[in-house]
């Protein structure tokens, strides 16, 4: 199965849940734990999910957008510190 198909499956298993462990997703997807873990890493890299205390959850559109702006816009006036959006400190 292609990575894109695996990611789609894992992401859509997460949508109806608050959060899920990689082990739970592996069981429900019928995929091995290594495959699910790699998928979660890709989904987190693409700012679609976040991992907290070993559990994955889907990011809202707003959180995904802000994280993207923080990552890619050098002059964006906010940053994320410990999961909290705060104004950037002026030098």
């Amino acid at each position: 199965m292609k990575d894109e198909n695996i990611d789609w499956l894992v992401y859509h298993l997460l949508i109806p849940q608050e959060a899920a462990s990689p082990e739970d997703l592996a069981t429900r997807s019928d995929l091995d734990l290594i495959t699910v873990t790699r998928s979660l890493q890709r989904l987190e890299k693409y700012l679609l999910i976040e991992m907290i205390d070993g559990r994955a959850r889907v990011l809202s559109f707003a959180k995904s957008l802000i994280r993207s702006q923080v990552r890619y816009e050098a002059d964006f006036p906010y940053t994320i510190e410990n999961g909290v959006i705060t104004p950037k400190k002026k030098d």
Side-chain angles (χ1 to χ4, degrees), residues 28-81:
R28 293 186 321 144
S29 66
D30 203 27
L31 297 169
D32 63 87
L33 184 58
I34 292 171
T35 301
V36 170
T37 301
R38 288 181 183 151
S39 175
L40 292 172
Q41 289 168 344
R42 287 189 300 272
L43 291 169
E44 188 171 35
K45 177 183 172 187
Y46 297 136
L47 305 172
L48 296 172
I49 68 161
E50 66 181 348
M51 296 293 294
I52 297 176
D53 297 327
R55 297 179 61 79
R57 70 178 189 173
V58 173
L59 287 174
S60 69
F61 177 75
K63 282 187 179 182
S64 182
L65 181 62
I66 295 242
R67 287 180 186 210
S68 179
Q69 289 177 304
V70 166
R71 181 183 289 179
Y72 296 111
E73 292 182 27
D75 60 344
F76 191 66
Y78 299 97
T79 189
I80 299 175
E81 296 176 3

